[in-house]
Amino acid sequence: MKQRILIADDIDPIFIKQVEAAGYQCDYQPLIKLDQALQIIGDYEGLVIRSKFNVDRQVIDAGEKLRFIARAGAGLDNIDEAYAGSKNIQLINASEGNMDAVGEHCVGLLLALMNHFNTADAEIRAGQWKREANRGYELKGKTVGIIGYGFMGRSFAKKLSGFEVNVIAYDKYKTGFSDKYAREVSMEEIVKHSDVLSLHIPLTAETNGMVNDEYLFHFKKPIFFINASRGKVAKISAILNAIKEGKILGAGLDVLEVEKFPALGEQVWFDELRQSGKVILTPHVAGWTFDSYRRISEVMASKLIALNLI
């Protein structure tokens, strides 16, 4: 009997085509709810999820036959990794599938911030022509500090390689990763030299709230700040405080501590955030392009087939 995969989220059909050719049987149910999934997950050897629900102990215990869980995305933060590991369940993610999308998105946010694209556009539409107020900065000669040099961080560094910038990177869990796109440095050097700070780290107990008032206080120069990693890594109140103090010249945020409405609109900091002309917001789409949608599924399929679980 073929091993069965419950696909509980919307993914590109190339995944189904490739893994079924390798001998799996896919049950594509992108509209399934958590309570419905709990009733049937025990019949499947595999689960594919994006962000619809958390794969916690309840889900893992219900999936008593599970041999693997694949997430169509970069991180695994909505999966209880430790508990899955204790059950010998293989975990698959697809950072390689959307790393180019994230790298390009971050470059776009940075260029927009440095050249006031958002405010200039709004002012012209409102009948205002303000050249001096919208004078921008050039990237050439600036030092870009990257926190986290995995697939996403390296992709951003690579995309910056034509801008004649100095890229430095810090990664607590890696050493010896300097390459032609970035130079490995200490956190102290990031804080001392950066003109731009970009986050490319997962959400963990250690990184939760990492960027706070104290962290930003130590930067020696005013910076442009980019976060396309996870929202809870950076405290929005600290970012707004740093903008008011002139420590952050502009912030490009693809992710927020709280996402989606109505919950986002209920946050005490939201009005100030949305009214700030020094912030550009995008709705957690840095890695979500038409191209990455297919590529993520291709990466998941190739990793699953390589596990040789059949």
Side-chain angles (χ1 to χ4, degrees):
M1 183 179 294
K2 291 184 177 181
Q3 294 193 25
R4 300 178 65 195
I5 304 172
L6 174 62
I7 302 174
D9 251 320
D10 180 31
I11 64 169
D12 190 279
I14 191 67
F15 174 84
I16 298 173
K17 179 180 179 180
Q18 292 183 356
V19 301
E20 287 193 337
Y24 289 92
Q25 178 183 330
C26 294
D27 185 1
Y28 186 56
Q29 296 198 41
L31 301 180
I32 195 170
K33 305 296 184 185
L34 173 59
D35 59 339
Q36 298 170 318
L38 287 171
Q39 294 176 20
I40 64 173
I41 189 65
D43 296 330
Y44 297 87
E45 284 77 23
L47 171 66
V48 174
I49 190 78
R50 260 194 5 235
S51 301
K52 180 183 290 183
F53 52 76
N54 288 329
V55 183
D56 54 16
R57 288 181 173 233
Q58 180 186 24
V59 176
I60 293 170
D61 285 339
E64 55 191 30
K65 294 168 60 178
L66 283 176
R67 301 186 67 193
F68 74 89
I69 301 168
R71 180 167 184 268
L76 293 168
D77 43 276
N78 63 327
I79 300 172
D80 189 331
E81 296 184 59
Y83 194 61
S86 73
K87 298 284 189 177
N88 295 316
I89 297 173
Q90 299 276 352
L91 299 182
I92 299 169
N93 65 345
S95 301
E96 305 94 321
N98 61 358
M99 63 182 182
D100 289 311
V102 170
E104 291 183 14
H105 193 93
C106 290
V107 171
L109 285 175
L110 182 55
L111 292 174
L113 286 171
M114 296 182 76
N115 293 282
H116 308 290
F117 289 166
N118 58 331
T119 53
D121 177 78
E123 287 165 1
I124 292 172
R125 293 174 189 274
Q128 303 172 31
W129 193 265
K130 300 181 179 180
R131 293 189 71 226
E132 182 58 31
N134 288 296
R135 190 199 298 226
Y137 295 86
E138 296 176 20
L139 260 174
K140 181 179 178 179
K142 300 294 190 297
T143 295
V144 179
I146 294 176
I147 307 295
Y149 205 65
F151 289 110
M152 306 305 171
R154 189 173 189 273
S155 175
F156 182 45
K158 184 177 181 180
K159 302 295 185 288
L160 289 169
S161 60
F163 286 95
E164 299 179 69
V165 294
N166 174 38
V167 182
I168 57 178
Y170 170 79
D171 194 312
K172 184 174 181 178
Y173 303 102
K174 288 185 177 181
T175 57
F177 59 79
S178 292
D179 57 22
K180 62 182 178 180
Y181 305 119
R183 177 171 60 89
E184 179 185 356
V185 298
S186 65
M187 181 65 85
E188 288 73 19
E189 290 177 88
I190 293 281
V191 167
K192 182 178 180 180
H193 298 296
S194 294
D195 298 294
V196 175
L197 178 68
S198 188
L199 305 182
H200 299 277
I201 51 181
L203 177 63
T204 65
E206 189 172 31
T207 63
N208 193 347
M210 182 188 84
V211 178
N212 55 21
D213 289 313
E214 181 182 359
Y215 180 81
L216 293 170
F217 171 79
H218 294 286
F219 278 78
K220 304 304 181 184
K221 296 190 283 185
I223 60 171
F224 288 96
F225 177 77
I226 304 291
N227 188 11
S229 59
R230 288 293 183 263
K232 291 185 183 297
V233 169
K235 305 293 290 185
I236 299 299
S237 59
I239 293 169
L240 292 171
N241 288 339
I243 288 173
K244 286 184 286 190
E245 294 166 1
K247 294 190 73 69
I248 288 181
L249 299 172
L253 306 176
D254 182 56
V255 291
L256 299 169
E257 286 182 83
V258 176
E259 297 181 354
K260 300 181 182 179
F261 294 97
L264 175 55
E266 296 167 356
Q267 303 307 303
V268 294
W269 40 257
F270 180 67
D271 280 344
E272 183 179 353
L273 185 71
R274 70 181 180 85
Q275 290 171 17
S276 176
K278 295 186 176 181
V279 177
I280 295 179
L281 303 169
T282 53
H284 204 148
V285 293
W288 192 237
T289 64
F290 292 103
D291 309 274
S292 69
Y293 179 69
R294 178 183 176 89
R295 201 170 297 121
I296 284 170
S297 287
E298 291 174 333
V299 168
M300 282 198 306
S302 65
K303 286 185 175 182
L304 174 57
I305 293 168
L307 286 177
N308 196 28
L309 297 177
I310 295 180

